[in-house]
Amino acid sequence: MSAVDHETHVRRALALAQQAWGETHPNPMVGALIVEDGVVVAEGFHARDGEAHAERVALTRLGRRPKPSAVLYVTMEPCSTHGRTGACCEAIIEAGLTRVVVGAADPNPAHAGAGFARLRAAGIEVTEGVLADECTDLNLIFNHWITAGTPLFAAKAAVSLDGRMATRAGDSQWITNEASRADVHRWRRLFPAIAVGAGTVMKDNPRLTSRCGDQEWCGWRFVFDGLLRSVAERTLPQVYTDEHRTRTIVVTTAHGGMGYVRRLRDLGVNVWVMPTPTKRVLAADFRRKCAEERIVGVYFEGGAQLISEWLRQKELDYLFVYRAPVLFADNRAKGIFGGLRTEKLANAVRLASIRHERFGDDELIRGRVTYPDKLQVDETAYSLG
């Protein structure tokens, strides 16, 4: 088959993998299909942790021995180690397949390339790297988890052309268009957790769920509130009282007061009292706690204080910026990033592995956050409470 044919089939495998969007953590999303004489005869994807891998699903659905002309297309390098479902390389070899086309290599340094070597040693022709960037990008949460051993901390910002999230009076609904906001909900569905600061909860009273079409889904909902200000009012925010309240985790300090902690826990809300001598929650402590609980990714939606503090602590891993064709040109309009004192371009925070997407007139720029050797912090800026 031609390179164009390979790309066509790998794109279909990507679409299959995306059917498990947000369902496979801590495993990756993977899609596979079998093509005989140019015709797709079987498809499969990894549906969730503990269930069969994509290659085995496709082979099972084929229900017979593949023809000599058969080609297996898969978005990620077949696994070569025995897990709960067995090594996919063995299943491929036992099925009698002679050609395999793969998108991305296994990101696990301990396993990368081992699957390719195992298949080639069995006489199977392997073509690798087809749409590798797209296949790698599909699993940005898994890739970070398997290489760093910690959750991916990503932040979202919706801003004007001059980087402002609201007017000086606080008007911000809506800077971006409906299509951009729908995409935010799609990413909410991918991440196992969403996080906001106490100020956002008190001002906006958000539901913090993913609403895609007619379906609503609730992952873990983190509220950062070092002094438990959001619990002091008689009428509590809906994330503490709604039907998903057991999915809410309030991240606080000992300065918040055990009375408020008990009030939340009596409602069924989870509380993490972080070990810090101040009202400031350290991102590194929160990251370790998430890793212990196997929460592999957190999507930070604000406010500005929370996201900027994570940036100051060099604990933000990924950034989504939705930019609308709106210009405030007002130095008192509200920005979302702050707390740094960047005097030289060499000391600026940058993005790598950048992806661009358009939503009508809006643009999404997203990528991995890279920090300079020397991050210049403004010590007079606010800190998270």
Side-chain angles (χ1 to χ4, degrees), residues 123-274:
I124 296 174
E125 177 186 333
V126 178
T127 301
E128 56 183 284
V130 178
L131 300 180
D133 288 346
E134 289 88 338
C135 292
T136 299
D137 181 66
L138 174 69
N139 287 302
L140 58 92
I141 296 175
F142 170 78
N143 295 342
H144 184 88
W145 174 258
I146 205 67
T147 56
T150 66
L152 179 75
F153 284 175
K156 181 271 293 185
V159 300
S160 63
L161 284 176
D162 46 347
R164 304 292 178 166
M165 67 173 188
T167 67
R168 65 169 66 194
D171 186 17
S172 62
Q173 295 185 346
W174 297 100
I175 289 177
T176 53
N177 62 30
E178 186 175 346
S180 293
R181 299 196 299 275
D183 190 63
V184 170
H185 280 271
R186 188 176 75 90
W187 286 106
R188 282 187 183 185
R189 182 62 184 87
L190 177 66
F191 280 79
I194 183 173
V196 295
T200 298
V201 166
M202 296 169 69
K203 176 179 179 291
D204 299 334
N205 194 22
R207 190 160 171 83
L208 300 182
T209 58
S210 171
R211 298 177 294 280
C212 299
D214 296 331
Q215 295 184 333
E216 183 178 41
W217 175 85
C218 185
W220 291 110
R221 304 183 295 188
F222 286 110
V223 177
F224 284 81
D225 191 352
L227 295 177
L228 294 180
R229 294 178 295 128
S230 61
V231 195
E233 299 298 325
R234 183 170 183 176
T235 302
L236 295 174
Q238 61 179 327
V239 291
Y240 301 156
T241 60
D242 66 13
E243 70 273 27
H244 302 301
R245 60 187 177 277
T246 59
R247 302 289 290 173
T248 299
I249 303 173
V250 178
V251 184
T252 188
T253 71
H255 297 271
M258 288 308 299
Y260 290 142
V261 171
R262 285 193 294 270
R263 184 185 185 190
L264 288 169
R265 286 175 173 165
D266 286 345
L267 290 167
V269 176
N270 302 278
V271 182
W272 289 0
V273 181
M274 305 305 290

Side-chain angles (χ1 to χ4, degrees), residues 13-348:
L14 277 166
L16 290 167
Q18 288 173 344
Q19 292 185 38
W21 188 259
E23 292 285 349
T24 63
H25 303 304
N27 286 355
M29 291 174 282
V30 181
L33 53 90
I34 299 170
V35 177
E36 293 178 343
D37 302 319
V39 177
V40 177
V41 293
E43 298 181 332
F45 61 92
H46 178 51
R48 56 187 54 85
D49 181 32
E51 295 191 7
H53 290 186
E55 301 95 317
R56 287 182 175 272
V57 174
L59 287 167
T60 298
R61 289 180 177 172
L62 180 61
R64 56 172 171 78
R65 198 161 181 82
K67 291 181 180 180
S69 64
V71 183
L72 171 69
Y73 289 86
V74 60
T75 55
M76 182 180 287
E77 177 181 356
C79 60
S80 57
T81 57
H82 282 273
R84 284 170 290 178
T85 59
C88 289
C89 283
E90 288 187 4
I92 292 169
I93 294 167
E94 290 171 1
L97 284 159
T98 58
R99 287 183 291 176
V100 176
V101 177
V102 182
D106 190 330
N108 189 337
H111 301 153
F116 296 143
R118 179 74 181 89
L119 294 176
R120 286 174 174 139
I124 296 174
E125 177 186 333
V126 178
T127 301
E128 56 183 284
V130 178
L131 300 180
D133 288 346
E134 289 88 338
C135 292
T136 299
D137 181 66
L138 174 69
N139 287 302
L140 58 92
I141 296 175
F142 170 78
N143 295 342
H144 184 88
W145 174 258
I146 205 67
T147 56
T150 66
L152 179 75
F153 284 175
K156 181 271 293 185
V159 300
S160 63
L161 284 176
D162 46 347
R164 304 292 178 166
M165 67 173 188
T167 67
R168 65 169 66 194
D171 186 17
S172 62
Q173 295 185 346
W174 297 100
I175 289 177
T176 53
N177 62 30
E178 186 175 346
S180 293
R181 299 196 299 275
D183 190 63
V184 170
H185 280 271
R186 188 176 75 90
W187 286 106
R188 282 187 183 185
R189 182 62 184 87
L190 177 66
F191 280 79
I194 183 173
V196 295
T200 298
V201 166
M202 296 169 69
K203 176 179 179 291
D204 299 334
N205 194 22
R207 190 160 171 83
L208 300 182
T209 58
S210 171
R211 298 177 294 280
C212 299
D214 296 331
Q215 295 184 333
E216 183 178 41
W217 175 85
C218 185
W220 291 110
R221 304 183 295 188
F222 286 110
V223 177
F224 284 81
D225 191 352
L227 295 177
L228 294 180
R229 294 178 295 128
S230 61
V231 195
E233 299 298 325
R234 183 170 183 176
T235 302
L236 295 174
Q238 61 179 327
V239 291
Y240 301 156
T241 60
D242 66 13
E243 70 273 27
H244 302 301
R245 60 187 177 277
T246 59
R247 302 289 290 173
T248 299
I249 303 173
V250 178
V251 184
T252 188
T253 71
H255 297 271
M258 288 308 299
Y260 290 142
V261 171
R262 285 193 294 270
R263 184 185 185 190
L264 288 169
R265 286 175 173 165
D266 286 345
L267 290 167
V269 176
N270 302 278
V271 182
W272 289 0
V273 181
M274 305 305 290
T276 173
T278 69
K279 69 175 184 178
R280 186 183 186 190
V281 176
L282 295 179
D285 291 338
F286 175 67
R287 188 187 290 275
R288 280 192 292 271
K289 179 66 173 174
C290 285
E292 290 172 4
E293 299 295 329
R294 294 183 67 78
I295 297 174
V296 299
V298 183
Y299 189 60
F300 291 83
E301 285 211 24
Q305 185 172 342
L306 177 62
I307 292 175
S308 294
E309 183 63 21
W310 256 229
L311 200 65
R312 279 161 50 96
Q313 295 182 36
K314 299 175 73 171
E315 293 285 353
L316 197 62
D317 304 310
Y318 204 87
L319 188 61
F320 297 79
V321 179
Y322 295 84
R323 189 169 60 179
V326 177
L327 185 66
F328 292 164
D330 181 352
N331 59 11
R332 292 184 62 188
K334 301 180 186 300
I336 196 164
F337 303 108
L340 300 182
R341 186 172 177 173
T342 307
E343 297 178 352
K344 297 181 179 179
L345 281 174
N347 292 326

